[in-house]
Amino acid sequence: MRILGIDPGIAIVGFGFIDKQGSKLTPVQYGCIQTEAHTPEEERLLHVYEGMVQLIEKYNPDAVALEKLFFNRNVTTAMSVGQARGVLVLAAVQKGLPVAEYTPMQVKQAIVGYGKAEKRQVQEMTRMFLKLQAIPKPDDVADALAVAICHAHSYTLNSKLNEVLRS
């Protein structure tokens, strides 16, 4: 199963593709889509959408996992990120992909085992899970890979629960 993890944003969209074979997780490709500051928001959203469509077409994931929007004090930023998140979901759904969402606390719990873990702990565990030489940069990329790993773990658990419920 190939999973695309996404850390949504308007300036930087982190993405990470991982393959899950049994309990083995292998990184396929990761990076970010960046938009230029001081560019009209509609152009930035188009760039994010087109970039994600190209990535989906190239790496052909089976599922998409996004970090749920975390509202902070800056409403303008939250609105822009929400719009970017919308075009990212649209790109996935148009390609017929199932989309799962995880809160930052769920991702931390899945990666570190503690929902209030520090960002650095999550990044280091992500690096270890995927046997990477270094923590991916910028942080948005490491976050996207963590979301993909969270989905891999959740998918396995949910599959087993469904088997038990069907028996």
Side-chain angles (χ1 to χ4, degrees):
M1 167 182 230
R2 179 161 293 169
I3 301 165
L4 166 57
I6 301 173
D7 182 30
I10 189 71
I12 300 174
V13 175
F15 68 85
F17 291 88
I18 64 170
D19 282 345
K20 178 182 176 5
Q21 296 168 317
S23 62
K24 183 179 179 191
L25 301 176
T26 308
V28 174
Q29 182 62 279
Y30 51 89
C32 60
I33 300 168
Q34 293 183 288
T35 64
E36 287 287 324
H38 311 296
T39 302
E41 192 167 65
E42 57 274 11
E43 288 179 33
R44 294 176 95 176
L45 292 170
L46 179 62
H47 182 73
V48 166
Y49 172 79
E50 289 176 340
M52 188 53 60
V53 168
Q54 288 175 356
L55 287 166
I56 289 170
E57 288 174 349
K58 182 173 183 177
Y59 294 102
N60 199 27
D62 299 302
V64 175
L66 286 104
E67 187 168 82
K68 278 189 181 178
L69 188 54
F70 176 75
F71 286 98
N72 56 19
R73 285 177 229 132
N74 189 335
V75 175
T76 304
T77 301
M79 293 295 287
S80 293
V81 173
Q83 289 179 318
R85 193 181 165 289
V87 300
L88 292 162
V89 170
L90 175 63
V93 171
Q94 281 185 326
K95 296 296 181 182
L97 298 170
V99 177
E101 302 173 286
Y102 300 95
T103 66
M105 187 175 275
Q106 287 173 310
V107 174
K108 291 174 182 181
Q109 180 70 41
I111 303 299
V112 180
Y114 176 59
K116 294 185 180 182
E118 297 293 323
K119 188 175 203 65
R120 180 75 181 160
Q121 291 174 296
V122 176
Q123 292 174 340
E124 182 58 28
M125 288 301 294
T126 297
R127 184 194 70 75
M128 290 172 60
F129 272 123
L130 298 175
K131 297 176 179 63
L132 301 172
Q133 293 294 320
I135 294 169
K137 295 290 179 195
D139 289 351
D140 311 79
V141 177
D143 292 347
L145 287 167
V147 173
I149 293 168
C150 175
H151 185 69
H153 292 168
S154 296
Y155 179 83
T156 300
L157 179 62
N158 287 335
S159 296
K160 289 180 180 178
L161 283 172
N162 285 335
E163 285 176 24
V164 169
L165 292 173
R166 278 187 244 135
S167 357

